[in-house]
Amino acid sequence: MKTVTKRRWLPWAAGGAVVAFAAILPFLNIVVPGVLPGATYTPGTLQLLALSLLFAALALSYNLLFGSAGMLSFGHALYFAMGAYGLGILLQSTDLALVPAMGIILALVIVAAYLIGALSLRVTGISFAMVTLAFAQAGNVLIRRNPGLTGGEEGLRLATANVPDVLVGVINTRNLYWVALALVVVVFVVVTWFEHSRAGHVVAATRENELRVRVIGVRPFVVKLITFVIASALAALVGMVYLLLQSGATPRATSADFTLTILVIVVLGGVGSRWGAVVGGIVYTLLDQRLTAFASSDAVAALPDVLRIPLSEPLFILGTLFILVVLFLPGGIAGIVGRVGDRSRSRAAARDRVEEAS
Amino acid sequence: MSTIVLLLITGLGLGALYFLVASGLSLIYGLMGILNFAHGSFLTLGAFAGWELARRMGGDSWVTLFASMAAGAAVGAIVAAATEFLLIRRLYNRHIEQVLVTVGLALASVALFDGIWGTDPIYVTGPAWFAETTEILGARVPNDRFVLIAVAVLVLIAMVLFLRLTRYGLIIRAGVENRAMVTALGIDVRKAFTLVFAIGGAAAGLGGVLASHYFGYVSPQLGGSLLIFAFIVTVIGGLGSLTGAAVASVVVAVLQQFANYYLGGTGDLVVVLLLAVVLLVRPSGLVGRLA
Amino acid sequence: MSETILSVRGLSARIAGQQVVEDVSFDVPDRGVTALLGRNGVGKTSTVKAILGLIERQGTVEFGGERIDKEPTFTIVQRGVGYVPEDREVFSGLTVAENLRLAERGGAVHRERVAALFPDLEARASQLAGTLSGGQQQMVSLARALLNENRLLLVDEPTKGLAPLIVADVAAALAAAAKLAPILLVEQNLQVVRQLASTVVVLEGGRVIHTGSAQALLDDSDLVTSLLGVHGAKSEADS
Ligand SMILES: Nc1ncnc2c1ncn2[C@@H]1O[C@H](COP(=O)(O)OP(=O)(O)OP(=O)(O)O)[C@@H](O)[C@H]1O
Ligand SMILES: [Mg+2]
């Protein structure tokens, strides 16, 4: 057990190095043909990288819910959308500065998540999934039906009057990139801290065996609700930065498909693995972007129909890939790496976790 | 008065559609513990199959309509059974993974439909009688509603008879209650799995053809939009309960119609509200099995 | 000397991440009643479920000389295993007749045998099983197993929660059943054990701590106390 403790700084050091490298990317001229659309200092590439970081952060928050606590929610997009749309509406209809506006929205989302979570958690398992889906759908309907406030199907444009100039416009994309990077780090730290807290241990134990948690005298409901609220608040934060990065939001961000996308990312990265969620978010975003480019390429257009039609639909390829991962690669990307790497370490860590929890 | 009658019958027609989707969902969930996200795709595929057949047969006759309904049901059943056999079965008793596979299938299949049939709605026409209306208590009710209601009632009766009178029906009813005990009586419950998928797929495929007449078009999004309400219906009706699904389908759809008309298009929200109320009042009724 | 119908070697099982059966080994002879004993929560039910494949298990289980530890539950049962679960587990939404019809496995079905043993059930054929009394439900559960031709019966606490008179009925039914097939019986009522069992296997904390003759165990009240009552017992070699 000593060795486990000693080795703990190693992943953090490696993570720090990766973050440092990511932070200086805007100053570098790295070209990765086939993966990135251009050199790393160009706004287009930075925009894509920032987006992939946001998906990584969102996946981290969902992984807390699904991977760590075992709560299969189909309504996570709702909180992301609350962040994006809430901030957008507040900025366009009040004179609040960016940071106070973000604070207000965060507080509102926490209240909303608390109420909806308390209601949804009256049921568990698949019922919980359906109920969260229903609430998210209500949010989707509200946003699409109130074009005056939300822009309806057209989507919401970011009102930039009260947004600091350094975060507006193509020339400042790299600032937004750094914000996104900082957000991933923050979310990662919060999620890690929570998972190592007492509540995190208990909620992980409820995933394994709810009965046993009840026996040791903790109400699973409470810790689950705390987890739900934290995950939702983090998703809202990501939504707010997304609004800034994309200069707006569309109703797609509230749809069930969007939640499913996050789910796909988490499963792709490896359910329960934090860095798996990060890698999954980045891989998915880049893959989605590349597949879209591939789909409209001449090479695909020249193929016969049976091949052209499926290959020209990025979501078809991603969906199929997802099915194959679920069927043949339980544990996703993190699972592959785990199998190749040191097995006993993770197992010891898992045992560690269970023991501490009980 | 005439408005109320119109809303009621239109609501019943929509409820019939919900039932055709929710009945299969509920049976599949009840027996196998799987929330089938691909169910909407079975519906969409059924609708496209019906349309493709109707297009080739030409004409808007009743024969064409019934043939397309049969085609929709058959395609739905085959694809659903294949889904169970090729994908779901490999993940026996791993419910989360099974749900994930249906999620992937839903995403991939809708994208594939986009590729094959395009994203724009394709307008469909039925027999001339469909476009006419019948006057009931002063309300001019579009005729396709009656066909929808009649078909859903027939499907309900057929399902109930199947569950009551056949050995597989017995296995399914028992399995919904306690699947482990069914296997402990020496019964290979996996055959029943394929069967409920086929039955659910047939109902959804049939529902797809009827939905295309109710809404007047087919599009790759058709199934997905109905699926969410079918989920809600399934939860409100009690997972695994066929009669629950039937009752909840009607309640949800009628409520939706009335709210849309009288409360300024808030039908969808009212339905979610109803779900919240049911959760608050009877959370146990939601997870509660048939007995 | 009798042959062994069921041989369990190094059986282990986990439920929800918890080891509930640990390296359990014992034999069930091909005639008479073998009692599986132990205090509450020691893993008796889990052992029976692991044999049937109702929970994930490791180890070797041979039935009639053939490995069954990799087989799914339904084929194990089809080989000729009747199962009477703890707490009856009748299908409460099905009628008595439907419960019995569902249990018919094909091959020889002994409806008359069951009708003779449980005359009450015939009269209640169309009653929903969920509305039966506990004792009647136990009759349905036993009848489901006895309908078929079996080479082994696994019976888990058939007298649990029943009135003394009904316990006697159940014991009589089991005695009749034991003439047809060997039984592995989980039972807390030592009087019933004394009446029916010839061999005993005692579990503690998911492990076997004693095997031997039923008579010898039950006549030694100190041993009974130490094995089934207070904690602490010396272990004995397999028979
Ligand atoms: N579904 C479950 N979830 C969690 N723990 C379980 C579950 N089923 C059984 N257990 C645990 O496994 C252990 C063994 O249970 P088992 O039912 O096999 O005991 P038993 O010997 O049959 O007890 P009894 O005499 O009370 O019937 C117990 O500690 C029990 O708490
Ligand atoms: Mg027991």
Side-chain angles (χ1 to χ4, degrees), chain C residues 17-162:
Chain C
Q18 200 183 339
Q19 192 85 34
V20 291
V21 178
E22 218 170 330
D23 195 19
V24 161
S25 303
F26 63 89
D27 286 334
V28 178
D30 74 347
R31 66 185 61 118
V33 174
T34 304
L36 186 58
L37 306 178
R39 296 175 304 156
N40 290 118
V42 298
K44 305 182 294 293
T45 299
S46 304
T47 301
V48 172
K49 286 190 171 173
I51 291 169
L52 273 172
L54 284 168
I55 55 177
E56 293 275 346
R57 76 285 203 204
Q58 282 94 46
T60 313
V61 182
E62 280 185 9
F63 177 61
E66 290 175 70
R67 290 280 294 262
I68 58 167
D69 46 78
K70 298 278 184 295
E71 278 188 18
T73 303
F74 76 92
T75 60
I76 296 176
V77 172
Q78 282 171 357
R79 285 170 175 273
V81 179
Y83 176 46
V84 181
E86 189 173 23
D87 301 319
R88 298 105 172 108
E89 300 204 29
V90 297
F91 299 101
S92 53
L94 270 50
T95 64
V96 171
E98 284 174 333
N99 265 280
L100 298 182
R101 189 142 47 86
L102 189 66
E104 292 177 5
R105 285 210 298 264
V109 176
H110 304 283
R111 295 196 188 87
E112 332 69 44
R113 178 205 289 173
V114 166
L117 272 173
F118 311 109
D120 207 20
L121 294 185
E122 201 129 17
R124 298 182 179 275
S126 55
Q127 188 175 341
L128 284 184
T131 64
L132 294 173
S133 75
Q136 291 160 346
Q137 289 188 7
Q138 191 62 67
M139 299 302 170
V140 173
S141 193
L142 279 165
R144 281 194 310 207
L146 299 183
L147 265 175
N148 301 290
E149 200 73 62
N150 285 316
R151 290 152 67 202
L152 174 68
L153 292 172
L154 302 175
V155 184
D156 195 350
E157 297 208 34
T159 65
K160 189 174 172 184
L162 301 182

Side-chain angles (χ1 to χ4, degrees), chain A residues 59-72:
Chain A
L60 271 172
S61 72
Y62 190 76
N63 185 52
L64 177 65
L65 206 56
F66 177 50
S68 177
M71 291 188 269
L72 181 58

